[in-house]
Amino acid sequence: MTVTGDQHLVKQINKSLVLETIRWHSPISRAQVSQVTGLNKGTVSSLVNELIQSDLVRETGPGQSSGGRKPLMLLFHHLAGYAIGVDLRVDSISAVLTDLQGNIIERTEQPLQTNDVEKVCSILKDAIHSLIAKAPESAYGVVGIGVGVPGIVDENGTILFAPNLKWQNVPLQHVLAAEFQLPVVIDNEARTGAQGEKQFGAGQESSNLVYISVGHGIGTGVVMNKELYKGSRGFSGEAGHFSIETNGELCSCGNRGCWELYASEKALFRQAARLTEVQQQLRQTGKDSPDMELLVSLAANGNAAVIGLFQQIGMYLGIGITNLINIFNPESIILGNRMTIAQPWIQETLFHTVAERALPYHQQQLQILFSQLGMDSTVVGAASFAISQFFTRTKVLVD
Ligand SMILES: [Zn+2]
């Protein structure tokens, strides 16, 4: 039988639909796949057989029956391949090896004492090599690499501008693809974190959400109608640089009074460094500047000045979040990255500010959540980009 171009395309689309259905609903029977996809049972059976042959789907024991013979259940074979996810931060590199379902199998953390491009790239390559070496035997091996970076990235995976790293025009995708001969996805760390929480974390049930990464700076990732919103050139989400003080301080982006100057770690540490108790602790521990661990331990011991600073951060976070709620009317706001460690001290003023200021209709059916993946939102999101790209490519794997 000759297969025309159109038939070939239809088969590709159907096969991908069947695979996605099994991927997100397993264990599932052939009859259920047929119900969910609307494809007839014969088509589903033949596509499932091909997916079993290509090791992406496996069969398991009989499931629940509504009478008659119990059906064999289908499982997505999440160990058919692996992906690398990286969170490139200003002061460290966090990298993981995940299976095709985003479960973390191995991880490595490397501190960065420099932001020199060549040195950082060399540490990054070593970290990725070490994880690839640990990937178990599988049908597809390591299928790709995803990296979240604290900056603006173009469609070729070049970091155009990362103010906190002081990087400009670094062709990271090209550098990593040349080193590893694997597909590489580079995206902004906050959008990558949004992807992680949407696919595998606190945002799985939300079609419209805003993920807010509060670390050294602030970035956001917006999911609209289940899709990550990119903007015309992929630069969306720089909410950390919207002004909340007209004549505020000058920001590294060129604007004044940016949100991240009042609500990020940068803002917190700068103010904390002026507190006598903090200065005392720094002298005792030999550290140059305050960090999250130090401030959280002081707050946990009831230090009123530090608790006051956290409450102020919560209030400023609430102001920016109010703006985002009024613009996007999301189902969920998800807070992620390092500031979430201070959840017990920031959440009250944050919730209070939003309750007081956001438009009342926008507050109905809105939930403000803290990330479910903790500090792993970005690494898991980065791996998820690589996995999604792999499944887009496997659509082509039709005879
Ligand atoms: Zn700015």
Side-chain angles (χ1 to χ4, degrees), residues 286-308:
K287 289 179 183 169
D288 315 330
S289 51
D291 55 25
M292 214 59 189
E293 287 67 32
L294 172 66
L295 298 180
V296 162
S297 85
L298 282 167
N301 285 320
N303 185 295
V306 173
I307 291 174

Side-chain angles (χ1 to χ4, degrees), residues 240-241 251-255 258 260:
H241 297 285
C251 179
S252 59
C253 74
N255 191 4
C258 292
E260 70 173 38

Side-chain angles (χ1 to χ4, degrees), residues 176-323:
L176 295 181
E179 174 81 11
F180 295 99
Q181 307 296 317
L182 282 171
V184 176
V185 186
I186 313 283
D187 207 330
N188 170 269
E189 62 87 21
R191 279 230 305 280
T192 308
Q195 167 85 1
E197 291 292 333
K198 171 74 191 109
Q199 295 275 25
F200 301 112
Q204 290 179 67
E205 305 301 323
S206 303
S207 301
N208 298 283
L209 69 87
V210 181
Y211 170 82
I212 306 170
S213 164
V214 190
H216 189 79
I218 295 181
T220 54
V222 178
V223 172
M224 281 183 190
N225 300 321
K226 299 185 181 169
E227 297 285 332
L228 203 54
Y229 177 71
K230 292 182 92 69
S232 73
R233 292 196 60 200
F235 304 163
S236 82
E238 293 295 338
H241 297 285
F242 59 40
S243 296
I244 61 165
E245 293 282 0
T246 316
N247 295 310
E249 294 164 56
L250 198 60
C251 179
S252 59
C253 74
N255 191 4
R256 278 188 181 277
C258 292
W259 185 26
E260 70 173 38
L261 299 178
Y262 301 88
S264 65
E265 277 186 335
K266 199 158 47 181
L268 175 71
F269 295 165
R270 199 179 47 217
Q271 293 175 75
R274 296 187 199 125
L275 299 175
T276 332
E277 304 92 316
V278 172
Q279 287 167 357
Q280 254 170 18
Q281 288 283 327
L282 289 176
R283 274 196 297 276
Q284 280 170 21
T285 53
K287 289 179 183 169
D288 315 330
S289 51
D291 55 25
M292 214 59 189
E293 287 67 32
L294 172 66
L295 298 180
V296 162
S297 85
L298 282 167
N301 285 320
N303 185 295
V306 173
I307 291 174
L309 280 186
F310 277 131
Q311 288 170 338
Q312 193 185 325
I313 292 281
M315 189 268 292
Y316 274 119
L317 280 173
I319 288 174
I321 288 171
T322 295
N323 292 338

Side-chain angles (χ1 to χ4, degrees), residues 9-26:
L9 183 65
V10 167
K11 189 178 173 191
Q12 281 179 17
I13 293 167
N14 288 344
K15 193 172 177 181
S16 154
L17 189 62
V18 168
L19 177 58
E20 285 299 290
T21 306
I22 298 169
R23 205 177 143 205
W24 296 108
H25 301 280
S26 60

Side-chain angles (χ1 to χ4, degrees), residues 37-238:
T37 59
L39 297 170
N40 74 48
K41 285 182 185 172
T43 305
V44 168
S45 263
S46 103
L47 293 174
V48 163
N49 286 344
E50 288 183 21
L51 289 167
I52 289 174
Q53 271 166 27
S54 57
D55 207 27
L56 290 169
V57 168
R58 289 198 167 173
E59 242 171 358
T60 178
Q64 295 286 329
S65 165
S66 48
R69 195 158 60 95
K70 287 181 180 171
L72 286 173
M73 301 304 277
L74 302 168
L75 286 178
F76 170 58
H77 185 215
H78 58 101
L79 301 178
Y82 295 87
I84 302 284
V86 181
D87 184 4
L88 172 59
R89 299 163 184 269
V90 174
D91 53 11
S92 65
I93 289 172
S94 177
V96 298
L97 177 77
T98 74
D99 63 23
L100 294 179
Q101 223 155 29
N103 301 305
I104 295 175
I105 310 287
E106 294 282 350
R107 66 163 71 230
T108 173
E109 296 276 340
Q110 301 296 326
L112 290 180
Q113 263 103 25
T114 168
N115 53 15
D116 176 83
V117 174
E118 276 196 16
K119 286 181 189 152
V120 171
C121 284
S122 153
I123 297 170
L124 178 60
K125 285 177 192 169
D126 288 349
I128 297 172
H129 275 299
S130 77
L131 290 172
I132 290 177
K134 288 178 183 161
E137 282 290 313
S138 63
Y140 297 92
V142 172
V143 300
I145 299 165
V147 185
V149 300
I152 298 169
V153 181
D154 75 5
E155 56 278 357
N156 301 316
T158 293
I159 303 172
L160 297 179
F161 183 47
N164 292 322
L165 267 175
K166 301 185 179 69
W167 281 15
Q168 262 177 309
N169 298 315
V170 178
L172 193 62
Q173 183 180 314
H174 175 80
V175 169
L176 295 181
E179 174 81 11
F180 295 99
Q181 307 296 317
L182 282 171
V184 176
V185 186
I186 313 283
D187 207 330
N188 170 269
E189 62 87 21
R191 279 230 305 280
T192 308
Q195 167 85 1
E197 291 292 333
K198 171 74 191 109
Q199 295 275 25
F200 301 112
Q204 290 179 67
E205 305 301 323
S206 303
S207 301
N208 298 283
L209 69 87
V210 181
Y211 170 82
I212 306 170
S213 164
V214 190
H216 189 79
I218 295 181
T220 54
V222 178
V223 172
M224 281 183 190
N225 300 321
K226 299 185 181 169
E227 297 285 332
L228 203 54
Y229 177 71
K230 292 182 92 69
S232 73
R233 292 196 60 200
F235 304 163
S236 82
E238 293 295 338

